Amino acid sequence: MSTRPRLTVIGTGYLGTTHAACMADLGFEVLGVDIDETKIARLAAGEVPFYEPELEQVLRKNLETGRLRFTTSFADVGDFGDVHFLCVGTPQRKDDYAADLSALHAAVDALAPHLSRPCLVVGKSTVPAGTAVGVAQTLRATAPAGEQVELAWSPEFLREGFAVRDTLRPDRLVFGVVSPRGETLLRAAYAPILAAGTPVVITDFATAELVKVAANAFLATKISFINAMAEVCEVTGADVTQLSEALSYDERIGGRFLHAGLGFGGGCLPKDIRAFMARAEELGVDQALSFLREVDAINLRRRARLVDLAEELAEGSFRNCRVAVLGAAFKPNSDDIRDSPALDVAATIQRRGATVWVYDPAALDNARRDYPQLSYAESAMAAAAGADLVLHLTEWAEFRTMDPAALGTVVNRRNIVDGRNALDPVRWRAAGWTYRALGRH
Ligand code: UDX
């Protein structure tokens, strides 16, 4: 095998597409595979099927060099690759909190029969502790190369909106390996990133699996901590944004993920803490993670609190009330609406009788598909036209820099709830708005 292994990426969703394009950008030959033929055709044509800054450029550039290719054939993948990255999704199961591993098992079952020479399979998907051991057994039992096929687990920590940067310059790498050979191959596959001085932690499978869920559980806890403080601020008259700033100067605490507001959503944090609790229960250590139940509850209470604040401004009833919702994505710089706090609030208010007009710079198509009961506008001004109430629910830069006086000319009443504590209350009040927010007066 050459010093530069040939890579394959199995699953071309968010993680897989970014990983494939970035690894090609680092100089590797990469083959991406997916069972979705439409998705593969679009990627091969240089089109990214979701919103992610910089990714389309990286994809196109590397398709042009020929280093990056896509296929739907697992036989091609088996032939081509020295290192195979498993990047399929592991969403929350419909009927309970646990992770749905069906896509992961299907990917391993599709790949294994085509592994007829020595290679390394690397799990990157977020999985419950104990999953990797089972995958290793399946590979050994069903791959023609048997013991020559080794498994490693190397979780991915990329954030949506920063996916390219996080993949090319991660904070750290975690290599869950069972042999020096696995470690050597993984080091070769990440050589350019390691050469840049990225720290690497070598672990066993269970630790590698846990690092990812522990990191997300910590981040979710930090957000819910400051949102719990916001609840206390609301009854004491304190200001959570000042509280957060004052806490942030303590280096032991730090200011990141200490932003109070409508709380976390997305495809990772909510489902990861739930899957973590479900796995802890199976392992008989549910008590250790019972605090995550509270983290989840605090997070969901923020949505309810925002609806209450909105109802107060609507003078007690949403009937005959026109509401403009600014933001649909679960966070700015993304078109992802999975478990979006903004759309959850919008749908609740609409159910309670309001007419809701939603605008988002990137997520309108996705929102329209999943929430057809809401109305959609093509700009913030259009959404706000005639509104009795404006809700700022996803802090896109475009909303943060909005001119309150200009918006004030199109609304029916100047009422705004800032669900992300991202607008300047002094400016909005000076322009005649009644400004309310979470955790401050
Ligand atoms: C997260 C992790 O950050 C990433 O490492 C992991 O790989 C996947 O899950 P992501 O889901 O892209 O990434 O979003 P992130 O930036 O972490 O934000 C999650 C949610 O928390 C968003 O809804 C955001 O609005 C909210 N949030 C974040 C807050 O409410 N307050 C904060 O201070 C930070």
Side-chain angles (χ1 to χ4, degrees):
M1 189 178 305
S2 70
T3 49
R4 182 161 280 194
R6 298 202 299 186
L7 313 181
T8 82
V9 173
I10 296 121
T12 57
Y14 209 92
L15 165 58
T17 301
T18 311
H19 191 65
C22 289
M23 293 309 251
D25 207 50
L26 290 171
F28 293 95
E29 278 185 73
V30 182
L31 182 61
V33 66
D34 202 289
I35 51 170
D36 183 336
E37 286 177 18
T38 320
K39 201 188 272 179
I40 287 297
R42 287 179 71 177
L43 288 169
E47 203 187 311
V48 175
F50 47 84
Y51 178 95
E52 180 61 40
E54 294 177 50
L55 184 55
E56 201 150 277
Q57 271 161 276
V58 182
L59 175 79
R60 290 196 174 164
K61 179 175 142 204
N62 289 284
L63 285 169
E64 272 163 32
T65 63
R67 280 200 300 271
L68 178 59
R69 291 180 302 116
F70 292 94
T71 180
T72 51
S73 159
F74 278 89
D76 289 355
V77 167
D79 275 353
F80 179 83
D82 303 310
V83 178
H84 305 277
F85 290 100
L86 295 169
C87 293
V88 295
T90 52
Q92 185 178 331
R93 279 206 302 240
K94 295 240 173 340
D95 42 356
D96 60 29
Y97 270 13
D100 178 352
L101 298 179
S102 55
L104 180 75
H105 294 314
V108 173
D109 291 345
L111 175 68
H114 302 288
L115 300 177
S116 43
R117 60 189 176 81
C119 63
L120 182 71
V121 176
V122 185
K124 293 195 75 63
S125 308
T126 304
V127 293
T131 305
V133 172
V135 171
Q137 274 164 2
T138 308
L139 287 172
R140 262 198 309 274
T142 53
E147 299 288 329
Q148 307 270 48
V149 176
E150 189 163 326
L151 182 71
W153 214 266
S154 180
E156 178 58 58
F157 302 94
L158 65 81
R159 295 162 299 167
E160 295 188 14
F162 300 93
V164 170
R165 192 170 89 189
D166 285 352
T167 305
L168 292 174
R169 292 186 294 282
D171 291 341
R172 80 305 214 173
L173 293 169
V174 176
F175 291 172
V177 288
V178 289
S179 81
R181 179 177 155 256
E183 183 181 334
T184 305
L185 256 175
L186 210 42
R187 281 186 183 277
Y190 280 101
I193 295 174
L194 292 170
T198 308
V200 57
V201 185
I202 308 293
T203 72
D204 51 27
F205 282 165
T207 309
E209 291 165 326
L210 273 173
V211 173
K212 176 60 191 280
V213 280
N216 277 352
F218 188 86
L219 295 172
T221 303
K222 205 170 171 193
I223 298 169
S224 277
F225 172 82
I226 200 64
N227 281 334
M229 295 305 108
E231 287 189 31
V232 179
C233 287
E234 280 155 16
V235 295
T236 54
D239 183 318
V240 76
T241 62
Q242 292 172 347
L243 177 74
S244 168
E245 186 191 346
L247 290 174
S248 75
Y249 295 121
D250 186 328
E251 281 180 11
R252 295 168 304 174
I253 298 174
R256 296 177 71 189
F257 277 72
L258 209 59
H259 197 93
L262 194 50
F264 58 81
C268 291
L269 262 46
K271 68 109 178 159
D272 283 356
I273 60 169
R274 292 174 191 152
F276 200 11
M277 285 187 270
R279 184 65 183 138
E281 199 170 332
E282 284 168 7
L283 295 167
V285 285
D286 39 326
Q287 238 184 345
L289 297 189
S290 60
F291 72 97
L292 287 180
R293 224 166 265 289
E294 203 47 50
V295 165
D296 202 7
I298 293 165
N299 193 52
L300 296 177
R301 276 208 298 275
R302 291 289 77 191
R303 302 180 190 185
R305 171 68 185 153
L306 196 131
V307 172
D308 288 349
L309 263 183
E311 200 168 32
E312 270 176 41
L313 283 183
E315 286 163 358
S317 168
F318 288 120
R319 299 249 159 248
N320 301 320
C321 182
R322 185 176 160 132
V323 178
V325 166
L326 304 184
F330 83 100
K331 69 171 190 181
N333 302 317
S334 168
D335 67 352
D336 194 342
I337 59 159
R338 284 176 293 171
D339 204 344
S340 162
L343 285 171
D344 193 5
V345 166
T348 305
I349 287 176
Q350 192 262 350
R351 262 199 315 277
R352 299 235 206 131
T355 307
V356 180
W357 284 81
V358 181
Y359 167 68
D360 186 282
L364 282 185
D365 288 347
N366 287 340
R368 263 195 202 103
R369 189 194 59 223
D370 289 7
Y371 292 80
Q373 73 274 34
L374 303 173
S375 304
Y376 295 94
E378 294 300 322
S379 70
M381 288 296 245
D388 300 297
L389 177 59
V390 176
L391 304 180
H392 174 236
L393 303 185
T394 310
E395 70 278 32
W396 284 89
E398 167 180 341
F399 302 146
R400 287 202 306 264
T401 54
M402 223 161 24
D403 176 6
L407 201 72
T409 61
V410 301
V411 295
N412 187 34
R413 294 172 60 206
R414 296 186 178 194
N415 285 325
I416 186 158
V417 181
D418 180 7
R420 291 294 177 181
N421 283 315
L423 306 176
D424 178 0
V426 176
R427 248 181 104 220
W428 284 76
R429 284 180 179 139
W433 287 78
T434 300
Y435 170 96
R436 300 291 300 274
L438 295 166
R440 69 212 290 214
H441 288 266

